[in-house]
Amino acid sequence: MNLRPVFAVLTVSVLLLSAGCSIVPKNDPATLYRLPSTNVPDINMPSNAATETLGIATPEAGYLLSGNRIVVYPEKNIVNVYEGARWYEDTPALVQSRLIEGLQQSQLFGNVGTDQLPSQLQLLSSLRSFQSEYENGRPNAVIQLDVQLVNTHDRAPIAYRTFTTTSQATDVDISSVVDAFGRASDTLVEQLITWLQANRSSF
């Protein structure tokens, strides 16, 4: 039996391993992005201090929006994701954090937190859109959120609404797209606060 070819193969394998070589390509780590936000504008609060507590549940989302990929529709019927860029947490958690932050700033409620904490009211939601859509060669951040306010005591619905906000990016660069998502989310929070304030008498 001739063992030379086998010995040669083993020798090459050892050399490759010792040199740190691999035939499996290594993916470059993705850049993680936070959702930009600005302070919500002052609102005219009633003279009596807010005492109600609000729990905000993580929005429900379909498969496409349940992860941390940044989704883009480059054409009407084509769905894709931005290569090398991701949100720093899953999109539903990202939206939940932004809603909690904005409603805490508004001081419309005595306390605002996640739905894991005891609360008198809960905000349930379903995330329908959270993607970049191209229009005339420019990306637009599009957010659509169905929300329902319920009483936690008996789960009775108090109010329901769908919010849709958009913001056009200044250019096609991913950082500009992320900034557009930030502006669209700011508008969403402002509209949500106005809506909740209008329904405050029903709490």
Side-chain angles (χ1 to χ4, degrees), residues 12 16 18 21 24 29 42 57-58 64 67 84 93 103 128-129 134-135 157-159 163-164 170-171 176 189:
V12 172
L16 286 173
S18 64
C21 298
V24 180
D42 294 334
T58 305
L64 186 64
L103 285 166
R128 301 296 184 185
S129 300
Y134 271 72
E135 181 179 344
I158 298 173
F163 294 92
T164 303
T170 56
D171 54 54
S176 297
V189 170

Side-chain angles (χ1 to χ4, degrees), residues 33-38 87 94 98 101 175 177-186:
Y33 289 90
R34 298 179 60 187
L35 184 63
S37 64
T38 58
W87 299 116
L94 196 77
R98 183 65 189 97
E101 177 188 19
S175 61
V177 173
V178 169
D179 288 340
F181 273 108
R183 292 190 297 271
S185 67
D186 286 342

Side-chain angles (χ1 to χ4, degrees), residues 6 11 44 49 52 57 88 102 113 128 134 145 153 160 176 180 182 189:
V6 176
T11 302
N44 296 320
E52 299 88 1
Y88 81 102
R128 301 296 184 185
Y134 271 72
L145 188 71
H153 176 67
Y160 173 88
S176 297
V189 170

Side-chain angles (χ1 to χ4, degrees), residues 71-202:
V71 180
V72 55
Y73 292 6
E75 297 180 28
K76 185 176 181 180
N77 296 318
I78 297 178
V79 180
N80 211 329
V81 294
Y82 285 100
E83 184 179 356
R86 298 188 181 186
W87 299 116
Y88 81 102
E89 59 182 343
D90 289 344
T91 304
L94 196 77
V95 174
Q96 180 193 36
S97 298
R98 183 65 189 97
L99 297 182
I100 292 175
E101 177 188 19
L103 285 166
Q104 286 176 339
Q105 291 176 5
S106 73
Q107 299 183 349
L108 185 60
F109 297 89
N111 186 49
V112 179
T114 71
D115 61 331
Q116 302 301 313
L117 301 175
S119 62
Q120 297 164 297
L121 302 166
Q122 270 194 2
L123 190 72
L124 310 177
S125 62
S126 179
L127 189 61
R128 301 296 184 185
S129 300
F130 201 89
Q131 68 260 357
S132 168
E133 297 182 4
Y134 271 72
E135 181 179 344
N136 298 323
R138 295 273 294 278
N140 287 274
V142 180
I143 304 175
Q144 182 176 339
L145 188 71
D146 298 339
V147 301
Q148 185 178 39
L149 185 68
V150 301
N151 188 311
T152 54
H153 176 67
D154 55 9
R155 308 301 292 177
I158 298 173
Y160 173 88
R161 183 172 170 181
T162 296
F163 294 92
T164 303
T165 60
T166 64
S167 179
Q168 189 173 64
T170 56
D171 54 54
V172 299
D173 188 75
I174 183 60
S175 61
S176 297
V177 173
V178 169
D179 288 340
F181 273 108
R183 292 190 297 271
S185 67
D186 286 342
T187 302
L188 173 67
V189 170
E190 292 171 15
Q191 292 180 0
L192 177 63
I193 291 171
T194 301
W195 175 72
L196 288 170
Q197 188 180 27
N199 287 278
R200 194 169 186 270
S201 60
S202 303

